[in-house]
PDB file of all heavy atoms in Angstrom:
ATOM      1  N   ASP A   1     103.623  69.914 114.112  1.00 65.00           N
ATOM      2  CA  ASP A   1     102.641  69.763 113.062  1.00 65.00           C
ATOM      3  C   ASP A   1     103.178  68.976 111.868  1.00 65.00           C
ATOM      4  O   ASP A   1     102.462  68.211 111.260  1.00 65.00           O
ATOM      5  CB  ASP A   1     102.174  71.128 112.568  1.00 65.00           C
ATOM      6  CG  ASP A   1     101.174  71.777 113.505  1.00 65.00           C
ATOM      7  OD1 ASP A   1     100.746  71.128 114.479  1.00 65.00           O
ATOM      8  OD2 ASP A   1     100.816  72.930 113.248  1.00 65.00           O
ATOM      9  N   ARG A   2     104.425  69.220 111.517  1.00 73.00           N
ATOM     10  CA  ARG A   2     104.984  68.569 110.339  1.00 73.00           C
ATOM     11  C   ARG A   2     105.442  67.161 110.690  1.00 73.00           C
ATOM     12  O   ARG A   2     106.117  66.949 111.701  1.00 73.00           O
ATOM     13  CB  ARG A   2     106.117  69.411 109.781  1.00 73.00           C
ATOM     14  CG  ARG A   2     105.609  70.783 109.362  1.00 73.00           C
ATOM     15  CD  ARG A   2     106.672  71.688 108.843  1.00 73.00           C
ATOM     16  NE  ARG A   2     107.967  71.416 109.414  1.00 73.00           N
ATOM     17  CZ  ARG A   2     108.937  72.295 109.457  1.00 73.00           C
ATOM     18  NH1 ARG A   2     108.770  73.486 108.993  1.00 73.00           N
ATOM     19  NH2 ARG A   2     110.107  71.968 109.975  1.00 73.00           N
ATOM     20  N   PRO A   3     105.084  66.170 109.867  1.00 79.00           N
ATOM     21  CA  PRO A   3     105.328  64.764 110.221  1.00 79.00           C
ATOM     22  C   PRO A   3     106.799  64.383 110.370  1.00 79.00           C
ATOM     23  O   PRO A   3     107.144  63.610 111.250  1.00 79.00           O
ATOM     24  CB  PRO A   3     104.690  63.977 109.083  1.00 79.00           C
ATOM     25  CG  PRO A   3     103.994  64.945 108.215  1.00 79.00           C
ATOM     26  CD  PRO A   3     104.350  66.320 108.637  1.00 79.00           C
ATOM     27  N   LEU A   4     107.677  64.909 109.518  1.00 80.00           N
ATOM     28  CA  LEU A   4     109.083  64.521 109.581  1.00 80.00           C
ATOM     29  C   LEU A   4     109.754  65.037 110.859  1.00 80.00           C
ATOM     30  O   LEU A   4     110.316  64.235 111.615  1.00 80.00           O
ATOM     31  CB  LEU A   4     109.817  64.991 108.320  1.00 80.00           C
ATOM     32  CG  LEU A   4     111.188  64.408 108.054  1.00 80.00           C
ATOM     33  CD1 LEU A   4     111.142  62.890 107.973  1.00 80.00           C
ATOM     34  CD2 LEU A   4     111.738  64.960 106.754  1.00 80.00           C
ATOM     35  N   PRO A   5     109.687  66.352 111.160  1.00 79.00           N
ATOM     36  CA  PRO A   5     110.294  66.817 112.413  1.00 79.00           C
ATOM     37  C   PRO A   5     109.631  66.223 113.661  1.00 79.00           C
ATOM     38  O   PRO A   5     110.286  66.029 114.674  1.00 79.00           O
ATOM     39  CB  PRO A   5     110.093  68.337 112.381  1.00 79.00           C
ATOM     40  CG  PRO A   5     109.854  68.683 110.965  1.00 79.00           C
ATOM     41  CD  PRO A   5     109.219  67.476 110.346  1.00 79.00           C
ATOM     42  N   ALA A   6     108.333  65.921 113.561  1.00 82.00           N
ATOM     43  CA  ALA A   6     107.622  65.354 114.709  1.00 82.00           C
ATOM     44  C   ALA A   6     107.935  63.877 114.903  1.00 82.00           C
ATOM     45  O   ALA A   6     107.527  63.282 115.905  1.00 82.00           O
ATOM     46  CB  ALA A   6     106.115  65.552 114.536  1.00 82.00           C
ATOM     47  N   GLY A   7     108.645  63.250 113.960  1.00 84.00           N
ATOM     48  CA  GLY A   7     109.003  61.857 114.080  1.00 84.00           C
ATOM     49  C   GLY A   7     107.889  60.891 113.701  1.00 84.00           C
ATOM     50  O   GLY A   7     107.986  59.693 113.960  1.00 84.00           O
ATOM     51  N   LYS A   8     106.833  61.398 113.075  1.00 87.00           N
ATOM     52  CA  LYS A   8     105.724  60.528 112.672  1.00 87.00           C
ATOM     53  C   LYS A   8     106.089  59.651 111.478  1.00 87.00           C
ATOM     54  O   LYS A   8     105.522  58.587 111.283  1.00 87.00           O
ATOM     55  CB  LYS A   8     104.482  61.363 112.350  1.00 87.00           C
ATOM     56  CG  LYS A   8     103.913  62.077 113.553  1.00 87.00           C
ATOM     57  CD  LYS A   8     102.737  62.952 113.177  1.00 87.00           C
ATOM     58  CE  LYS A   8     102.232  63.718 114.384  1.00 87.00           C
ATOM     59  NZ  LYS A   8     101.182  64.678 114.028  1.00 87.00           N
ATOM     60  N   ILE A   9     107.026  60.138 110.649  1.00 88.00           N
ATOM     61  CA  ILE A   9     107.559  59.314 109.561  1.00 88.00           C
ATOM     62  C   ILE A   9     109.075  59.401 109.605  1.00 88.00           C
ATOM     63  O   ILE A   9     109.640  60.414 110.036  1.00 88.00           O
ATOM     64  CB  ILE A   9     107.024  59.732 108.171  1.00 88.00           C
ATOM     65  CG1 ILE A   9     107.411  61.173 107.836  1.00 88.00           C
ATOM     66  CG2 ILE A   9     105.546  59.542 108.067  1.00 88.00           C
ATOM     67  CD1 ILE A   9     107.121  61.537 106.405  1.00 88.00           C
ATOM     68  N   VAL A 115     108.514  83.682 112.900  1.00 59.00           N
ATOM     69  CA  VAL A 115     108.849  82.704 113.930  1.00 59.00           C
ATOM     70  C   VAL A 115     110.100  83.092 114.721  1.00 59.00           C
ATOM     71  O   VAL A 115     110.466  82.413 115.663  1.00 59.00           O
ATOM     72  CB  VAL A 115     109.020  81.281 113.349  1.00 59.00           C
ATOM     73  CG1 VAL A 115     107.713  80.795 112.779  1.00 59.00           C
ATOM     74  CG2 VAL A 115     110.119  81.231 112.322  1.00 59.00           C
ATOM     75  N   ASN A 174     102.633  85.390 119.527  1.00 63.00           N
ATOM     76  CA  ASN A 174     101.967  84.091 119.481  1.00 63.00           C
ATOM     77  C   ASN A 174     102.246  83.410 118.142  1.00 63.00           C
ATOM     78  O   ASN A 174     101.866  83.920 117.082  1.00 63.00           O
ATOM     79  CB  ASN A 174     100.465  84.288 119.678  1.00 63.00           C
ATOM     80  CG  ASN A 174      99.702  82.995 119.730  1.00 63.00           C
ATOM     81  OD1 ASN A 174     100.207  81.934 119.397  1.00 63.00           O
ATOM     82  ND2 ASN A 174      98.451  83.093 120.148  1.00 63.00           N
ATOM     83  N   PRO A 175     102.893  82.217 118.139  1.00 63.00           N
ATOM     84  CA  PRO A 175     103.187  81.534 116.867  1.00 63.00           C
ATOM     85  C   PRO A 175     101.933  81.119 116.106  1.00 63.00           C
ATOM     86  O   PRO A 175     101.964  80.982 114.887  1.00 63.00           O
ATOM     87  CB  PRO A 175     104.005  80.315 117.279  1.00 63.00           C
ATOM     88  CG  PRO A 175     103.949  80.231 118.753  1.00 63.00           C
ATOM     89  CD  PRO A 175     103.424  81.512 119.289  1.00 63.00           C
ATOM     90  N   GLU A 176     100.824  80.940 116.797  1.00 68.00           N
ATOM     91  CA  GLU A 176      99.574  80.583 116.116  1.00 68.00           C
ATOM     92  C   GLU A 176      99.099  81.723 115.224  1.00 68.00           C
ATOM     93  O   GLU A 176      98.507  81.493 114.175  1.00 68.00           O
ATOM     94  CB  GLU A 176      98.487  80.210 117.132  1.00 68.00           C
ATOM     95  CG  GLU A 176      98.747  78.890 117.839  1.00 68.00           C
ATOM     96  CD  GLU A 176      98.902  77.721 116.871  1.00 68.00           C
ATOM     97  OE1 GLU A 176      98.075  77.584 115.951  1.00 68.00           O
ATOM     98  OE2 GLU A 176      99.856  76.936 117.045  1.00 68.00           O
ATOM     99  N   VAL A 177      99.357  82.958 115.639  1.00 65.00           N
ATOM    100  CA  VAL A 177      98.988  84.119 114.827  1.00 65.00           C
ATOM    101  C   VAL A 177      99.811  84.122 113.539  1.00 65.00           C
ATOM    102  O   VAL A 177      99.280  84.366 112.459  1.00 65.00           O
ATOM    103  CB  VAL A 177      99.169  85.438 115.621  1.00 65.00           C
ATOM    104  CG1 VAL A 177      98.977  86.654 114.726  1.00 65.00           C
ATOM    105  CG2 VAL A 177      98.202  85.475 116.798  1.00 65.00           C
ATOM    106  N   ALA A 178     101.100  83.816 113.656  1.00 63.00           N
ATOM    107  CA  ALA A 178     101.960  83.754 112.463  1.00 63.00           C
ATOM    108  C   ALA A 178     101.458  82.681 111.505  1.00 63.00           C
ATOM    109  O   ALA A 178     101.415  82.895 110.302  1.00 63.00           O
ATOM    110  CB  ALA A 178     103.400  83.473 112.872  1.00 63.00           C
ATOM    111  N   LYS A 179     101.065  81.541 112.034  1.00 67.00           N
ATOM    112  CA  LYS A 179     100.535  80.471 111.186  1.00 67.00           C
ATOM    113  C   LYS A 179      99.273  80.928 110.450  1.00 67.00           C
ATOM    114  O   LYS A 179      99.090  80.630 109.281  1.00 67.00           O
ATOM    115  CB  LYS A 179     100.197  79.238 112.024  1.00 67.00           C
ATOM    116  CG  LYS A 179     101.390  78.448 112.466  1.00 67.00           C
ATOM    117  CD  LYS A 179     100.909  77.230 113.246  1.00 67.00           C
ATOM    118  CE  LYS A 179     102.067  76.483 113.857  1.00 67.00           C
ATOM    119  NZ  LYS A 179     101.606  75.331 114.661  1.00 67.00           N
ATOM    120  N   LYS A 180      98.400  81.661 111.152  1.00 68.00           N
ATOM    121  CA  LYS A 180      97.167  82.142 110.535  1.00 68.00           C
ATOM    122  C   LYS A 180      97.458  83.143 109.428  1.00 68.00           C
ATOM    123  O   LYS A 180      96.832  83.119 108.369  1.00 68.00           O
ATOM    124  CB  LYS A 180      96.254  82.777 111.572  1.00 68.00           C
ATOM    125  CG  LYS A 180      95.569  81.767 112.462  1.00 68.00           C
ATOM    126  CD  LYS A 180      94.652  82.452 113.451  1.00 68.00           C
ATOM    127  CE  LYS A 180      93.997  81.433 114.378  1.00 68.00           C
ATOM    128  NZ  LYS A 180      93.146  82.063 115.373  1.00 68.00           N
ATOM    129  N   VAL A 182     100.219  83.404 107.563  1.00 66.00           N
ATOM    130  CA  VAL A 182     100.778  82.703 106.405  1.00 66.00           C
ATOM    131  C   VAL A 182      99.702  81.873 105.716  1.00 66.00           C
ATOM    132  O   VAL A 182      99.603  81.862 104.485  1.00 66.00           O
ATOM    133  CB  VAL A 182     101.987  81.839 106.830  1.00 66.00           C
ATOM    134  CG1 VAL A 182     102.467  80.965 105.680  1.00 66.00           C
ATOM    135  CG2 VAL A 182     103.120  82.735 107.309  1.00 66.00           C
ATOM    136  N   ARG A 183      98.852  81.178 106.482  1.00 67.00           N
ATOM    137  CA  ARG A 183      97.774  80.384 105.885  1.00 67.00           C
ATOM    138  C   ARG A 183      96.847  81.270 105.056  1.00 67.00           C
ATOM    139  O   ARG A 183      96.493  80.929 103.927  1.00 67.00           O
ATOM    140  CB  ARG A 183      96.965  79.655 106.974  1.00 67.00           C
ATOM    141  CG  ARG A 183      95.929  78.725 106.367  1.00 67.00           C
ATOM    142  CD  ARG A 183      94.904  78.236 107.362  1.00 67.00           C
ATOM    143  NE  ARG A 183      94.043  79.362 107.681  1.00 67.00           N
ATOM    144  CZ  ARG A 183      93.647  79.683 108.902  1.00 67.00           C
ATOM    145  NH1 ARG A 183      94.015  78.985 109.937  1.00 67.00           N
ATOM    146  NH2 ARG A 183      92.868  80.734 109.114  1.00 67.00           N
TER     147      ARG A 183
END
Side-chain angles (χ1 to χ4, degrees):
D1 282 354
R2 299 178 331 202
L4 194 57
K8 294 177 183 174
I9 61 170
V115 296
N174 184 347
E176 290 303 313
V177 172
K179 285 182 187 178
K180 285 181 182 178
V182 173
R183 185 193 72 224

